[in-house]
Amino acid sequence: MEPISMITGKAVVLPVENIDTDQIIPARFLKVTDKSGLAAGLFEAWRYRADGTLNPDFPLNRPEAAGATILISGRNFGCGSSREHAPWALQDYGFRAVIAPSFADIFRSNALKIGLLPVTVEQTVYDELVAHYAVDPQMHLTIDLAAQTVTLPDGRQISFPIDAFSKYCLLHGVDQLGFLLNQEALIAEYEATHPQPVVTTAYSRGKTEEQGNDSMSA
Amino acid sequence: MSKPRTLFDKVWDAHVVRPETPETPAVLYIDLHLIHEVTSPQAFTELRQRGLRVRRPDKTLATMDHSTPTTPRNHLGIIPVVDPMAISQLEQLRKNCAEFGIPLFELGDENQGIVHVIGPEQGLTQPGMMIVCGDSHTSTHGAFGALAFGIGTSEVGHVLATQCLLQRKPKTCAVRIDGRLGPGVTAKDIILALIAKYGVGGGTGYVFEYMGEAIRSLSMEERMTICNMSIEGGARAGMVAPDDTTFEYIAGRPFAPKGADFDAAVARWRTLPSDEGAVFDHELTLSASDLKPMITYGTNPGMGIPIDAPVPRPEDMPDARSRAALDKALAYMGLEPGKPLLGHPVDVVFIGSCTNSRLSDLRQAAQFFRGRKVAPGVRVMVVPGSQQVKRAAEAEGLDRIFKEAGAEWREAGCSACLGMNDDKVPPGKYAISTSNRNFEGRQGPGARTMLASPLTAAAAAVTGVVTDPRTLLN
Ligand code: SF4
């Protein structure tokens, strides 16, 4: 994963609350077995009209939104399903950060894993950004991950929270699986000292009777 | 004496491989990892790229449910898949499971079904376990006093490779539901009312523990319906303390402990409920006695009302933001503010999904189909949650009741819950659905979804309009 430190770019505002992952990318785009090309499905029902033509009124489709890398949205962004396709699609479209008053838990966790930065701001800051964007659709913002700040158009810096571990991983381009793989000794110790409640491989039609409880055999 | 702990604390503590610090999240051990075709392929790719194996295939189980068709079997007893992308996704899962030694309930298998239906049904879901799946409705399994939540595909890869997950400890929220449900009011109505009261973001950051008289009197299947929709209230997980109802449900299931092992397990499970005096970070309450059947009018599960109430009016909303949200939702739904939903025509009825596709749900729905006909022009899909549910329902003749009434009796799967297989609601059409999400386009582009209980859905199926199920009760 590429390290992230500063994100400076054009913002686009999608002033809707509770944007769910079915809006971000509808399920019919999830039949892929890789991560590429998901931008095609991003906000598909909003970006296109029923006849398949581009909806010119949708904020992402306005000419001034071209090249935007920061998405600003209403609270509880990314609620709904656990599909990582949602942050993949946003990233594939070109977004590097999402700013919102709050995020759904799984979306935030997924976004942090792939380097799409979720930035939580106060509702009042969000309202200010929406108002500013209304008069300046070319609004640019700078997000400094190391300092955990967003520089607003008027030059004010406001700080945002981020989990220390996720921040470390993003700044250094470290992926979290590497950290887990390094815990091998502890994991093995846990396995040796804890009984396992179920053994799924004991499944073969009608044979699950033979499965013992607490068996440690792999 | 040690500090009183909640059910959540006990399950969490028992799975800590490496404790949380300010710098690093906790490393938690996963007892059961369920996978399906949609959220797993990229994780296996990652594994292959890094030359990693699946650490514990014996704690992993796969099923096919999301992109599978639910069309009745052909004359060869085969469920034909025609969508080439679905075929490749299902093929991929089959290949991944074969290569890494993971048991798979594939399409056509006698145990195949929706991932959150099969876990409990097989006795894989047990109290005190830590269960994850690349699917947000993993919260369903919390009904057994397990800690169960949805994860993303990167995390699916983490669990495949290490059987562990990195997590910050969430906060706890006691959800007290007192009183008793009246006739015609169901577990689904409890959870829809709870989310309507506290909103779709109300539980963000928390794990719910449902408690109170109403919860204790519910069956396991009803508890699953409630825990299933915890995520719709923003909570990643919902739990119910295990009790005799739980143990009776588990006893005798294929993966349940047997004989003396079962007794020992029950003795352990009895220590799980929250201790007297355990402190929760937050509390929500609801009275079950006051509830009416619920239905949603909008585009998130929190936009729900009692079935006889009028659709809210934007001018009655407390602030500009909720006015705008309501305007947008009503425009999508094509509904008039201030008017009741009762009597509104319905085009499609979907009875299924991991929320309400178990035997008791089908039994409830069947009582309104018995001796009645599906209203003209209404398409009714009844989709059992698993092949086992399907067989059990057929054994008691429920399939005949549905079919004689004019409803479709289909194969097991997610079906019309998410618009990713052939089962969809046409654009602009109104569906009453027993599933868990009414998001824009969830059941197909332009589909207008009203969430309700199996009883309310069945009542609409036979009347053709939104109907208070209590008026059809004998
Ligand atoms: S039934 Fe619906 S909510 Fe449940 S797992 Fe399938 S798609 Fe998800």
Side-chain angles (χ1 to χ4, degrees):
Chain A
M1 197 165 60
E2 290 290 302
I4 300 174
S5 52
M6 286 283 209
I7 298 171
T8 298
K10 196 198 280 185
V12 58
V13 175
L14 195 49
V16 181
E17 299 188 337
N18 299 313
I19 292 183
D20 57 78
T21 53
D22 278 87
Q23 285 350 294
I24 300 173
I25 184 150
R28 62 184 182 284
F29 293 97
L30 309 189
K31 286 183 243 176
V32 292
T33 49
D34 59 12
K35 304 177 187 178
S36 59
L38 287 168
L42 183 72
F43 298 121
E44 199 265 354
W46 291 346
R47 259 164 76 204
Y48 299 94
R49 292 185 287 216
D51 63 3
T53 58
L54 222 56
N55 170 9
D57 299 331
F58 184 62
L60 266 61
N61 290 343
R62 292 189 200 126
E64 60 270 22
T69 54
I70 299 170
L71 178 68
I72 301 174
S73 170
R75 67 177 167 185
N76 198 28
F77 185 82
C79 59
S81 97
S82 66
R83 59 187 73 159
E84 201 164 303
H85 307 69
W88 289 337
L90 286 160
Q91 203 171 50
D92 193 36
Y93 188 84
F95 288 114
R96 303 185 62 206
V98 183
I99 299 179
S102 62
F103 291 89
D105 289 333
I106 308 183
F107 178 86
R108 189 194 18 245
S109 158
N110 285 343
L112 285 168
K113 298 252 174 356
I114 65 160
L116 175 76
L117 193 63
V119 177
T120 310
V121 296
E122 294 289 331
Q123 185 72 42
T124 50
V125 173
Y126 165 76
D127 292 339
E128 261 182 64
L129 288 170
V130 174
H132 188 93
Y133 183 74
V135 293
D136 175 18
Q138 295 286 344
M139 178 168 81
H140 276 62
L141 298 172
T142 296
I143 302 168
D144 182 340
L145 174 59
Q148 294 182 225
T149 57
V150 183
T151 307
L152 302 181
D154 64 6
R156 262 181 311 146
Q157 289 194 334
I158 48 137
S159 53
F160 64 89
I162 185 168
D163 164 59
F165 181 71
S166 300
K167 177 178 170 180
Y168 174 86
C169 291
L170 293 174
L171 281 173
H172 297 90
V174 174
D175 86 280
Q176 305 191 6
L177 177 54
F179 176 84
L180 274 173
L181 289 166
N182 281 332
Q183 309 303 314
E184 173 56 33
L186 287 174
I187 299 171
E189 186 191 324
Y190 182 94
E191 287 177 330
T193 51
H194 289 74
Q196 63 176 337
V198 293
V199 181
T200 59
T201 42
Y203 170 74
S204 66
R205 268 157 220 80
K207 289 235 188 84
T208 40
E209 307 294 291
E210 295 161 19
Q211 177 206 355
N213 189 29
D214 297 358
S215 133
M216 283 306 300
S217 62
Chain B
M1 225 184 79
S2 57
K3 194 165 158 265
R5 292 186 299 165
T6 64
L7 164 64
F8 162 79
D9 294 328
K10 294 180 193 184
V11 182
W12 176 277
D13 292 350
H15 292 86
V16 173
V17 170
R18 186 182 197 265
E20 182 174 9
T21 68
E23 291 76 38
T24 54
V27 176
L28 297 176
Y29 198 79
I30 305 303
D31 295 314
L32 178 64
H33 184 198
L34 299 166
I35 60 179
H36 62 70
E37 73 274 22
V38 181
T39 55
S40 67
Q42 298 86 351
F44 282 105
T45 304
E46 178 87 21
L47 239 58
R48 278 197 197 90
Q49 280 168 357
R50 300 170 75 131
L52 296 167
R53 66 195 173 105
V54 174
R55 184 187 179 86
R56 299 301 298 260
D58 58 332
K59 291 171 186 280
T60 315
L61 184 94
T63 187
M64 297 176 171
D65 53 3
H66 281 67
S67 60
T68 51
T70 63
T71 30
R73 286 167 200 256
N74 65 18
H75 64 288
L76 300 171
I78 291 169
I79 306 164
V81 190
V82 291
D83 177 345
M85 290 191 78
I87 291 176
S88 114
Q89 203 168 52
L90 298 171
E91 247 330 296
Q92 195 68 50
L93 181 64
R94 201 173 286 126
K95 196 172 143 250
N96 289 334
C97 288
E99 179 178 337
F100 293 101
I102 296 167
L104 166 67
F105 293 175
E106 63 182 305
L107 192 62
D109 187 290
E110 61 183 14
N111 290 313
Q112 174 267 345
I114 305 174
V115 63
H116 311 307
V117 175
I118 61 167
E121 161 179 285
Q122 293 290 332
L124 285 162
T125 302
Q126 295 172 17
M129 282 172 71
M130 183 78 93
I131 302 173
V132 295
C133 171
D135 195 289
S136 59
H137 292 101
T138 308
S139 59
T140 312
H141 307 260
F144 292 79
L147 178 56
F149 50 86
I151 57 177
T153 298
S154 293
E155 291 173 316
V156 169
H158 294 182
V159 180
L160 287 174
T162 68
Q163 202 57 31
C164 289
L165 196 63
L166 291 162
Q167 286 290 302
R168 290 278 176 198
K169 196 172 188 171
K171 292 176 285 182
T172 53
C173 176
V175 181
R176 259 173 236 289
I177 304 175
D178 292 318
R180 289 279 185 144
L181 289 171
V185 189
T186 68
K188 182 65 165 285
D189 302 304
I190 291 182
I191 191 66
L192 285 173
L194 187 82
I195 303 167
K197 184 172 175 185
Y198 293 105
V200 288
T204 307
Y206 294 99
V207 166
F208 284 165
E209 183 184 335
Y210 300 98
M211 53 181 74
E213 185 194 358
I215 298 297
R216 292 270 74 94
S217 64
L218 297 179
S219 71
M220 286 316 295
E221 300 198 346
E222 293 170 310
R223 293 177 190 181
M224 283 188 249
T225 297
I226 290 183
C227 287
N228 175 271
M229 289 189 72
S230 305
I231 183 75
E232 260 55 70
R236 237 180 133 170
M239 304 175 84
V240 173
D243 58 12
D244 288 338
T245 307
T246 322
F247 311 144
E248 273 160 36
Y249 178 96
I250 296 171
R253 294 190 180 263
F255 286 92
K258 305 283 179 317
D261 286 340
F262 182 77
D263 298 336
V266 169
R268 278 199 309 278
W269 296 339
R270 285 197 193 282
T271 66
L272 287 169
S274 294
D275 298 327
E276 190 81 31
V279 179
F280 291 83
D281 299 302
H282 193 50
E283 181 173 306
L284 306 177
T285 57
L286 190 75
S287 166
S289 326
D290 307 337
L291 293 183
K292 293 178 176 176
M294 296 288 294
I295 189 163
T296 65
Y297 57 86
T299 51
N300 73 47
M303 294 176 157
I305 45 174
I307 193 143
D308 54 3
V311 172
R313 297 184 306 176
E315 57 266 37
D316 296 338
M317 291 289 113
D319 55 58
R321 277 199 303 274
S322 34
R323 260 195 302 283
L326 180 56
D327 275 334
K328 188 172 185 301
L330 294 184
Y332 180 85
M333 292 295 292
L335 291 174
E336 250 182 80
K339 274 185 61 175
L341 278 176
L342 277 180
H344 192 287
V346 169
D347 306 293
V348 178
V349 173
F350 170 55
I351 297 172
S353 91
C354 58
T355 316
N356 285 120
S357 64
R358 299 176 182 83
L359 188 59
S360 58
D361 300 311
L362 302 182
R363 280 184 188 148
Q364 280 201 342
Q367 63 178 295
F368 289 167
F369 287 93
R370 193 174 283 120
R372 289 194 179 90
K373 288 281 179 219
V374 164
V378 180
R379 179 182 184 195
V380 181
M381 286 181 266
V382 185
V383 186
S386 70
Q387 292 295 336
Q388 292 226 5
V389 170
K390 180 163 184 272
R391 275 197 309 280
E394 287 171 353
E396 46 187 81
L398 300 184
D399 59 322
R400 281 198 310 280
I401 296 174
F402 293 125
K403 286 190 278 197
E404 276 164 21
E408 298 169 32
W409 175 245
R410 300 179 71 88
E411 291 293 332
C414 295
S415 184
C417 174
L418 90 166
M420 113 166 256
N421 47 63
D422 309 330
D423 306 347
K424 290 192 177 72
V425 175
K429 297 293 182 194
Y430 289 91
I432 289 204
S433 176
T434 66
S435 56
N436 42 44
R437 287 184 176 147
N438 51 353
F439 299 147
E440 287 183 29
R442 170 80 178 181
Q443 296 193 289
R448 292 163 161 169
T449 302
M450 298 181 271
L451 301 175
S453 72
L455 275 181
T456 304
V462 296
T463 59
V465 295
V466 176
T467 300
D468 186 336
R470 294 173 299 183
T471 60
L472 298 186
L473 288 176
N474 303 322

